[in-house]
Amino acid sequence: MAKMEVKTSLLDNMIGVGDMVLLEPLNEETFINNLKKRFDHNEIYTYIGSVVISVNPYRSLPIYSPEKVEDYRNRNFYELSPHIFALSDEAYRSLRDQDKDQCILITGESGAGKTEASKLVMSYVAAVCGKGAEVNQVKEQLLQSNPVLEAFGNAKTVRNDNSSRFGKYMDIEFDFKGDPLGGVISNYLLEKSRVVKQPRGERNFHVFYQLLSGASEELLNKLKLERDFSRYNYLSLDSAKVNGVDDAANFRTVRNAMQIVGFMDHEAESVLEVVAAVLKLGNIEFKPESRVNGLDESKIKDKNELKEICELTGIDQSVLERAFSFRTVEAKQEKVSTTLNVAQAYYARDALAKNLYSRLFSWLVNRINESIKAQTKVRKKVMGVLDIYGFEIFEDNSFEQFIINYCNEKLQQIFIELTLKEEQEEYIREDIEWTHIDYFNNAIICDLIENNTNGILAMLDEECLRPGTVTDETFLEKLNQVCATHQHFESRMSKCSRFLNDTSLPHSCFRIQHYAGKVLYQVEGFVDKNNDLLYRDLSQAMWKAGHTLIKSLFPEGNPAKINLKRPPTAGSQFKASVATLMKNLQTKNPNYIRCIKPNDKKAAHIFNEALVCHQIRYLGLLENVRVRRAGYAFRQAYEPCLERYKMLCKQTWPHWKGPARAGVEVLFNELEIPVEEYSFGRSKIFIRNPRTLFKLEDLRKQRLEDLATLIQKIYRGWKCRTHFLLMRRSQVVIAAWYRRYAQQKRYQQIKSSALVIQSYIRGWKARKILRELKHQKRCEEAATTIAAYWHGTQVRREYRKFFRANAGKKIYEFTIQRIVQKYFLEMKNKMPSLSPIDKNWPLRPYLFLDSTHKELKRIFHLWRCKKYRDQFTDQQKLIYEEKLEASELFKDKKALYPSSVGQPFQGAYLEISKNPKYKKLKDAIEEKIIIAEVVNKINRANGKSTSRIFLLTNNNLLLADQKSGQIKSEVPLVDVTKVSMSSQNDGFFAIHLKEGSEAASKGDFLFSSDHLIEMATKLYRTTLSQTKQKLNIEISDEFLVQFRQDKVCVKFIQGSQKNGSVPTCKRKNNRLLEVAVP
Ligand SMILES: Nc1ncnc2c1ncn2[C@@H]1O[C@H](COP(=O)(O)OP(=O)(O)O)[C@@H](O)[C@H]1O
Ligand SMILES: [Mg+2]
């Protein structure tokens, strides 16, 4: 937040008024109401100018967190709501940055929260000041001094469970950077009477209870103590235990704190030994013992306790015992020893205990100071924290209250002085005219008490020192004489008769009108307490102790330094120390914390108005406000003032360009604030009446509301508009998309509908066209048909005369033509292969084409034979010519023929030229041999056959012996007339010769040969080519053969199987040869 430079002010969110100076109207009632209102809202801090009023909440509030420390750190005093941290920060910064020594004065009655406040201040300063190991150690020591002092100096009272029973002033020392260096503690007036006696419901100092609860058995044994509180007379028993306080734990805390602060172990032990001794002292009891001289003498009842004390402290038992029984008075170098009666013995015992304890306490403070004192000699800055008892008004007020109230009177004095001084200084600084302020100055009361000649303290000292019987009554008388005329002194017995009839003023009392109210003091005990007497015998006995700490506590017991002068009285001691304190405080810049106790019950949430009213009175808070308000109630630097109120005027809002002061002037003129209500200082504006300020505040509040409304309005407008624009944009986008979608959908629909319609229409159209076309076609067809018919009719009518004669023929011809054409075309595709032996021929499709078909087959065959033949060589041709000739001659005539077709005609089966056997034969023939073959020559006689070589040449037919080759017959071809053979499957043939020729003398020849067909054919051909005559070939199953002179018939018959498969020839008779052909 601080970084954001948020300008805030005390005036923000104020509950009641945060600064009493602004209270309007100002009186006790409004003051209390304001405090109460704030208290009820947990605002326990309120300002009077720079003074902080703190009301004890009696419960922990969440306002001291580290975050709060950060909040208040480096902020101006009036910037945030009132807080003790604001004051601490102000003081610390003033010390660090402006080099001003500070003192923080914390006042208030017991239980109002002073000690807590002082601790809060210290912890805040510790939190914000420098860091580092060394600095932290110093801080730690300073903070840890508190538990030690509280253990020894605090006690439970009816007002406060942890009431400080001493005044404390602590100087914290800093170096130039603001880092803590160390500290010095001063203590004031420990309430030592508490050691021996406590009021009802209260306790002795904490340390006694802590020791007995928290010490180990071992330690207790060493100290010769028992854990049981009830063993000790000095410990009040009715409130030995305090709610919510753990004495044992606190004991450990204290011992730990002592260690941190720097106590050696033996020192801490010594301290506890003294504490134990004090406790045990209370258990020493006395009994009276009559003496011879008739005087009562006291005797110690039970010496056991005494013995233990002496063992503990190292004192000779007899010395101590004597000190409790006798008192030595020295006067004019004479020692007079008198016995003590029982009462005196008890007095002596208690005096010793009180002295022992209070001196131990002072020693502790000194010892702590030794530890925490700054280690350097450099110049230091100092912040003093004064936690001192406030005004005390009880029912019974005694010497202590008197002293305390005196101290407060002095503090009030210095407060007034310093406040006024500061106020005045500020006026001078700011160049504002100083007007006299009417206020009550309590200097007169201080004077009544401390005046060296006739002050009450002086009177008391005088009485104490006076020889003769001195009692409290004589002291009161003296007062009545001396102070009677003083306006603030009241006594029934005074010469002045003013109070003669005042029954509220008892005779043994005097009353002082303190600045904070009237206090009635019981005069009883004043003298004794002021004397603070410890018999010399006791102090000497203490000095003789073997215990070094105790010895050091009683230096006056040293007989060498014997001093007959009385020790200074308690009153004068206190006066002196207060004087030093005041002097000290005067040199410093004061900061005030005024603590108020809201109720007597130590309870949260209860605000007892009467009680608070009482405190406000004696703290003089109203006085305080009046002083502060005497001139101007409120002041503020120009910049923050302008910053806070600039919205109230057009010229200054929102920005003022010129100097702040001019801005404020413009602002105040504009607002028509009466001139007497304010003054311009050098750096601050001074406002006389809080009213004016509140008017400004109200205006500001109103204006802020307006501005807030304006901002709200503009913001809402802006927001709505942006929202609207966004919606509109979105709407447009959505609409666009939707339209697109809708249009697309619609388009798709239209498209599909159009397609459907289109298809229907097209279909319809197409069907229509189709129908039309069909119709048209039918029409055309009809027309054509009609025309055709018509035409036909016409034609027929016209051609009827021709038609009857020719139509049939023509149609026939045409049909035939067509069929033939088709036939040929089909034939073309169905032609068989070119092989002459292929017998396949397509089937005849039509009967009438039968002959053609055959003819075609024949032609085709011839053609393919020709084709086949054309491939032949001349020799082959010849062979085939021969074969053809054979075919012509024998086919279908001779049964032998088919078997000869497959045999090639070789002619020369006998190779005469190669066979040497036939050399002669060969040589005899000059012509070309056409046939050379072995044949069987059938004998006419028996029908048996003889082998002969049959040779045919161009001109001759030769027969030769097969074995010798000798020519048997030679027949020129011209003599051959005929060849006969059967039609059957046999090789018999006859060659008939020309009658009359030379060759015919022997007759015809009958042969059988395997190559009949070849031989007959070749013979036919050779004859034809030589003689140009066709040889007659007769085929008959019966022919005649001319053997020499006889003609023999050769008959061919069907032979039976039993004759074999070869034809056989048999002579039947002279005229018949029978050939059986199987
Ligand atoms: N600021 C505070 N917040 C919470 N409790 C507080 C505060 N101040 C005082 N107290 C309570 O009041 C009690 C008495 O305070 P203390 O400072 O000892 O009084 P004093 O020193 O004035 O006698 C404390 O023990 C504590 O319980
Ligand atoms: Mg206290």
Side-chain angles (χ1 to χ4, degrees), residues 42 44 56-64 116 604-605:
N42 290 336
I44 59 165
N56 188 348
Y58 278 122
R59 67 200 170 96
S60 64
L61 294 174
I63 53 172
Y64 308 113
E116 291 296 322
H605 301 299

Side-chain angles (χ1 to χ4, degrees), residues 1013-1031:
I1013 300 299
E1014 185 185 357
M1015 291 173 89
T1017 308
K1018 284 194 165 163
L1019 190 62
Y1020 176 81
R1021 281 176 57 90
T1022 312
T1023 311
L1024 188 62
S1025 66
Q1026 290 299 320
T1027 63
K1028 307 294 179 227
Q1029 285 177 6
K1030 281 188 185 176
L1031 181 68

Side-chain angles (χ1 to χ4, degrees), residues 109-116 118 150 154 160 162-166 387-389:
E109 72 181 63
S110 180
K114 300 180 296 290
T115 309
E116 291 296 322
S118 76
E150 283 188 11
N154 288 23
N160 182 353
N162 181 32
S163 176
S164 327
R165 306 316 299 160
F166 67 105
D387 167 19
I388 204 156
Y389 19 62

Side-chain angles (χ1 to χ4, degrees), residues 870-905:
D870 285 349
Q871 299 165 25
F872 295 161
T873 56
D874 283 346
Q875 201 176 354
Q876 273 173 327
K877 258 182 200 163
L878 218 62
I879 289 170
Y880 279 97
E881 263 171 25
E882 272 177 356
K883 279 274 180 189
L884 187 63
E885 199 83 69
S887 161
E888 280 168 4
L889 290 175
F890 301 108
K891 193 168 177 211
D892 301 333
K893 293 169 186 165
K894 171 90 175 145
L896 186 69
Y897 173 69
S899 64
S900 75
V901 173
Q903 294 171 2
F905 294 174

Side-chain angles (χ1 to χ4, degrees), residues 790-910:
W790 170 248
H791 201 64
T793 317
Q794 288 285 338
V795 170
R796 275 192 303 277
R797 197 175 288 162
E798 194 173 327
Y799 286 91
R800 190 162 293 150
K801 51 187 184 277
F802 312 108
F803 190 72
R804 283 250 167 90
N806 299 324
K809 197 175 153 211
K810 274 206 172 166
I811 290 167
Y812 173 79
E813 274 173 1
F814 176 77
T815 309
I816 293 296
Q817 225 171 28
R818 295 294 302 171
I819 289 173
V820 169
Q821 199 175 12
K822 194 177 161 207
Y823 166 73
F824 281 121
L825 287 171
E826 274 175 9
M827 281 301 286
K828 182 186 159 196
N829 295 329
K830 288 180 191 168
M831 277 317 219
S833 72
L834 284 178
S835 166
I837 51 170
D838 187 355
K839 290 270 191 294
N840 289 329
W841 190 246
L843 283 175
R844 182 201 66 205
Y846 303 98
L847 188 61
F848 77 97
L849 282 174
D850 190 35
S851 57
T852 319
H853 193 65
K854 282 180 185 147
E855 183 60 17
L856 257 182
K857 183 180 174 186
R858 196 187 60 84
I859 293 170
F860 176 74
H861 185 70
L862 288 178
W863 173 73
R864 75 178 167 193
C865 287
K866 170 149 187 338
K867 272 268 179 199
Y868 185 72
R869 280 195 313 272
D870 285 349
Q871 299 165 25
F872 295 161
T873 56
D874 283 346
Q875 201 176 354
Q876 273 173 327
K877 258 182 200 163
L878 218 62
I879 289 170
Y880 279 97
E881 263 171 25
E882 272 177 356
K883 279 274 180 189
L884 187 63
E885 199 83 69
S887 161
E888 280 168 4
L889 290 175
F890 301 108
K891 193 168 177 211
D892 301 333
K893 293 169 186 165
K894 171 90 175 145
L896 186 69
Y897 173 69
S899 64
S900 75
V901 173
Q903 294 171 2
F905 294 174
Q906 286 180 351
Y909 291 97
L910 268 181

